[in-house]
Amino acid sequence: ALAELLHVPVVRVPLVVDGGLILGNGEGLCLTTGKLFGQNQRRGLDERQIQRALKEYYGFDNGVALHPLEFEQTGHADVFANA
């Protein structure tokens, strides 16, 4: 409804991405955790397909999968990193 009101297209990204799971620095760098890959591999995507979607839909050229802090349960990069 909002897209129609603003006359912009709706694009469906083929990834499952929780809020806070990816961070970008505006220069092509993506910070994420292994949770992004795990969620999407369970949906049948391999690592290459995930990386390709990150580039195509988000404009990321480089990605770093961080290990979350011990006892950090969300697996979200925004809890412990800043791009």
Side-chain angles (χ1 to χ4, degrees):
L2 182 60
E4 289 176 23
L5 192 69
L6 298 174
H7 304 288
V8 295
V10 173
V11 177
R12 301 215 182 271
V13 178
L15 298 175
V16 172
V17 181
D18 297 347
L21 193 53
I22 59 174
L23 297 172
N25 70 350
E27 297 181 11
L29 175 65
C30 171
L31 298 180
T32 189
T33 67
K35 183 175 180 179
L36 175 74
F37 292 93
Q39 285 180 331
N40 288 287
Q41 287 171 340
R42 284 191 291 280
R43 297 182 68 234
L45 299 174
D46 63 30
E47 187 173 333
R48 198 170 94 247
Q49 291 170 309
I50 296 165
Q51 289 173 342
R52 190 176 326 128
L54 288 170
K55 179 170 180 57
E56 181 178 341
Y57 293 96
Y58 295 95
F60 294 129
D61 296 316
N62 298 304
V64 177
L66 304 169
H67 295 284
L69 297 174
E70 188 174 2
F71 305 114
E72 196 290 299
Q73 296 183 7
T74 68
H76 292 182
D78 69 343
V79 173
F80 59 88
N82 191 348

